[in-house]
Amino acid sequence: MSDAPRSPRPRGFFLSRVNAIAANTLLELVRQKVFYFMLLFAAIAMGVALLASGMPFIEQFQVLKDAALGAMSIFSWLLVTLATAMILPKDIEDRTLYTMLAKPVSRFEYLLGKLAGVMLLLLVAMGLMGLFFAGALFIREHLAIAEALRDYGDGPDGQAAVAAIRQAAFTPTLLAALALIFTKSAICAALTLLLSTFATSWIFTVMISVVVYIIGHVQPVAREYWLEQSGEAPSMLLRAFLGFVSLIFPDFQLYNIIDEIVVGNAVPLSMFVQAFGLGLGYVLVYTIVGYLFFSSREL
Amino acid sequence: MPFQRQRVVAVEDLSLTVEPGQVYGLLGPNGSGKSTTMKIVLGLVAPTSGTTEIFGCDSSHVSSREQVGFLPENPYFYKFLTGLETLEFFGKLCGLCGAALRARARELLALVRLEDAADRRIGGYSKGMLQRIGLAQALIQEPRLLVLDEPTAGVDPAGSREIRDLILAFKERGITVLLCSHLLEQVQEICDRVGILHRGKLIREGKLDDLISIENQTELILENASPPLLARIREAVAAGGARVVDERRPKQNLERFFLDVTRGKS
């Protein structure tokens, strides 16, 4: 195409394009009714809330928090892994990717928009699960208070029990636990997107993502065993291998501080900072590496 | 190597220029390199060597696509979006927003006669409707170049004619069109210039009229000619040293006949 004035350089639509792709990704996933599985979570949370009687009050709340946060962690991981794994292959298969990239949209903007869409989905899902969790805690709290007043009466003993129950039910650190689950799932989303930039099928992406998830949980234990408990001095090769593994796979054991929150133990701020910082770092690195693969991929 | 993909030369030594305002038809059998050429023009595939420019801008730059609208072969859009939402989404990708975007989307829906289906989800669109919404999204940012890959593939004759008429309307508005199609009759109707690819090589290229006209023959179509008049013409032709190659009744083409018949019924 010749004999025409030179076209202008792209203007600063970067954010608006990323926003458009992110909003569209969220809308796509919402209209595919991915939130139906939230009903399962609600059923688990409410079920535990109603059935966790017959044990000491503190334990009732621990069981409820443990079950709800555990379910949240698994559900959010499943949601982001499955949703992210299908985004890119589906766009390529349906050729919607061609239509989008034929507009003034760079591959980086496309990838970032898709990731942002999944993060929004995760945020909404965490918000909904958080609400169900809060509802379950509220129900358990009221049931426990009713039990306490029935057992101890309205006197000082009863009031002391009620105060203890209220203290055990809602703790501000629960919000930090939700943020930790979000961060862990965000790492999984970025990792799955990275895998899908070079994978040829979403099944492969999901399988590798699951494997990395497992490695992320067991690698600190394995590393500790090899380095300290095997009884032999580790070779340079083994050290290099372990260093490599610990660098490319996130240490998901860091996020086990959620268990400490459940049992009510104090968690140092530095551990939160480390977990959130590591999460942010992995999301950034995985996204950049994903872009490097995607930018050279033939469509 | 078990994991190494075999490399294939899809297009070789291809050099062509499409002038502004032209409708250029890229023809060739399946696997001849038409779609690859279009992908290179759109920056979706990087050529091993060589360059492509769109209005003077390197087509590997994202900025070159501000001037381009693309309709892929058998377009699929997000099935969960309505027609209007689809146009608004693609408009946002081109930097449009607000009331201007909505007005532009409505204008294009009217242009491709999909106003009534504006709020229906794309998943329920017919093949012809998909092609038309595809054309509308390609036009959303008022591009100066339209790249159309099989724009009438799988569309019924009436829909196909509508799309052809739209392309002719674009041409009148000065929009440059690069299209590839297997429907040679349509290409002949709308293209100014064609290039024929075969096994990745451009084997013919030029103005359509120059390529297909037979230099030493003349077509004369008469109406109400009587047999004696025809006899005198034959004699005159022979006396002039020429030869009547063929003599037949012109036929209406099947598409025209089909459209006339189906329009009469509807």
Side-chain angles (χ1 to χ4, degrees):
Chain A
M1 321 312 136
S2 63
D3 281 346
R6 202 174 174 79
S7 66
R9 296 291 303 160
R11 286 173 287 278
F13 294 131
F14 173 78
L15 261 183
S16 73
R17 284 190 292 260
V18 172
N19 282 346
I21 296 169
N24 188 62
T25 305
L26 178 65
L27 187 65
E28 176 181 13
L29 295 166
V30 169
R31 287 192 180 167
Q32 283 176 349
K33 300 180 174 60
V34 292
F35 286 126
Y36 273 14
F37 84 96
M38 295 288 164
L39 296 175
L40 188 60
F41 174 79
I44 291 172
M46 294 302 169
V48 175
L50 294 171
L51 299 173
S53 55
M55 55 180 89
F57 297 130
I58 304 298
E59 279 184 31
Q60 288 179 22
F61 289 111
Q62 279 183 10
V63 168
L64 176 57
K65 287 175 188 175
D66 202 19
L69 291 174
M72 240 187 241
S73 186
I74 290 171
F75 278 42
S76 57
W77 169 65
L78 270 178
L79 177 72
V80 294
T81 303
L82 293 176
T84 315
M86 282 189 236
I87 283 176
L88 199 53
K90 197 167 177 296
D91 272 5
I92 292 174
E93 195 183 323
D94 290 350
R95 300 198 185 104
T96 41
L97 181 66
Y98 297 158
T99 323
M100 286 169 74
L101 293 182
K103 299 288 181 202
V105 176
S106 71
R107 293 190 185 198
F108 183 66
E109 287 164 349
Y110 170 83
L111 215 57
L112 205 59
K114 288 290 175 186
L115 185 64
V118 174
M119 296 296 180
L120 280 176
L121 175 82
L122 179 61
L123 197 66
V124 174
M126 289 296 298
L128 281 174
M129 287 193 285
L131 282 177
F132 286 133
F133 179 35
L137 267 179
F138 183 77
I139 291 170
R140 185 69 256 153
E141 183 186 6
H142 279 260
L143 290 174
I145 288 172
E147 273 178 54
L149 291 176
R150 194 178 58 232
D151 293 348
Y152 301 109
D154 205 11
D157 286 352
Q159 290 307 318
V162 168
I165 287 166
R166 289 205 166 120
Q167 203 178 358
F170 289 95
T171 52
T173 48
L174 281 179
L175 291 175
L178 295 185
L180 286 168
I181 293 172
F182 178 90
T183 308
K184 192 175 162 186
S185 299
I187 296 173
C188 295
L191 168 77
T192 310
L193 194 65
L194 156 64
L195 293 169
S196 71
T197 56
F198 60 83
T200 49
S201 79
W202 69 269
I203 297 174
F204 172 83
T205 305
V206 170
M207 281 170 60
I208 300 297
S209 192
V210 169
V211 169
V212 173
Y213 185 77
I214 294 168
I215 292 173
H217 279 95
V218 302
Q219 59 121 334
V221 181
R223 190 175 56 230
E224 194 177 328
Y225 171 78
W226 275 325
L227 289 178
E228 293 167 17
Q229 293 174 5
S230 60
E232 295 172 19
S235 66
M236 279 295 287
L237 192 65
L238 181 63
R239 278 180 180 278
F241 172 72
L242 293 175
F244 176 72
V245 168
S246 62
L247 196 67
I248 62 167
F249 299 112
D251 179 358
F252 284 136
Q253 293 281 0
L254 275 177
Y255 297 88
N256 285 353
I257 50 178
I258 293 170
D259 297 339
E260 301 298 317
I261 292 171
V262 167
V263 295
N265 292 341
V267 180
L269 183 66
S270 61
M271 290 189 80
F272 285 116
V273 172
Q274 191 185 2
F276 291 129
L278 192 84
L280 183 66
Y282 272 104
V283 168
L284 283 174
V285 170
Y286 285 158
T287 306
I288 291 166
V289 175
Y291 166 67
L292 293 176
F293 278 113
F294 188 51
S295 61
S296 58
R297 181 170 177 170
E298 266 191 22
L299 299 173
Chain B
M1 293 289 286
F3 294 107
Q4 197 170 3
R5 287 187 193 172
Q6 193 185 354
R7 286 184 171 270
V8 174
V9 178
V11 182
E12 198 176 359
D13 291 333
L14 176 64
S15 177
L16 59 89
T17 305
V18 180
E19 297 298 329
Q22 245 179 13
V23 178
Y24 193 101
L26 203 54
L27 312 177
N30 289 335
S32 58
K34 301 187 298 294
S35 293
T36 305
T37 305
M38 288 194 163
K39 284 181 183 175
I40 291 170
V41 169
L42 292 162
L44 297 174
V45 168
T48 320
S49 63
T51 57
T52 48
E53 288 187 356
I54 297 175
F55 300 122
C57 185
D58 188 335
S59 72
S60 63
H61 293 166
V62 174
S63 60
S64 70
R65 280 163 243 158
E66 289 181 0
Q67 310 279 1
V68 185
F70 173 54
L71 172 69
E73 186 184 358
N74 298 322
Y76 285 92
F77 300 105
Y78 292 112
K79 289 176 186 165
F80 61 91
L81 292 180
T82 65
L84 180 63
E85 286 171 342
T86 299
L87 294 189
E88 288 182 344
F89 170 60
F90 284 106
K92 283 176 190 167
L93 296 184
C94 298
L96 302 174
C97 61
L101 170 59
R102 186 150 281 238
R104 177 72 181 147
R106 291 275 179 203
E107 180 194 341
L108 288 171
L109 285 166
L111 180 74
V112 297
R113 296 199 308 103
L114 283 174
E115 287 161 300
D116 294 341
D119 298 319
R120 268 168 56 191
R121 287 201 186 173
I122 294 273
Y125 276 24
S126 69
K127 178 83 186 146
M129 291 164 87
L130 278 175
Q131 293 289 125
R132 280 186 279 150
I133 199 75
L135 264 181
Q137 68 76 27
L139 289 163
I140 193 77
Q141 84 276 32
E142 300 190 54
R144 295 165 60 203
L145 168 68
L146 271 180
V147 179
L148 311 174
D149 195 356
E150 300 285 353
T152 55
V155 182
D156 66 34
S160 178
R161 176 162 284 263
E162 277 178 13
I163 291 170
R164 190 198 63 183
D165 291 345
L166 279 170
I167 295 171
L168 288 172
F170 302 150
K171 181 182 171 183
E172 278 180 20
R173 286 161 56 182
I175 297 174
T176 311
V177 179
L178 170 65
L179 67 88
C180 71
S181 175
H182 289 299
L183 299 175
L184 302 183
E185 200 174 324
Q186 280 206 343
V187 170
Q188 191 176 342
E189 279 184 285
I190 57 178
C191 289
D192 304 307
R193 202 173 174 89
V194 295
I196 300 175
L197 281 169
H198 184 65
R199 293 183 182 171
K201 289 191 173 173
L202 191 67
I203 53 172
R204 286 283 191 284
E205 203 269 339
K207 276 179 73 179
L208 189 68
D209 290 342
D210 296 345
L211 290 176
I212 61 174
S213 62
I214 303 169
E215 283 296 316
N216 64 345
Q217 290 187 9
T218 306
E219 208 170 45
L220 189 70
I221 297 172
L222 305 174
E223 196 172 43
N224 299 327
S226 62
L229 173 63
L230 289 174
R232 284 206 299 280
I233 290 172
R234 277 185 220 109
E235 283 169 19
V237 168
R243 184 172 69 95
V244 176
V245 177
D246 193 11
E247 193 182 321
R248 62 186 159 179
R249 284 177 186 279
K251 288 177 187 138
Q252 185 185 46
N253 75 26
L254 185 59
E255 185 196 67
R256 185 76 265 159
F257 175 73
F258 175 87
L259 290 171
D260 288 346
V261 170
T262 49
R263 253 181 222 148
K265 293 285 179 195
S266 62

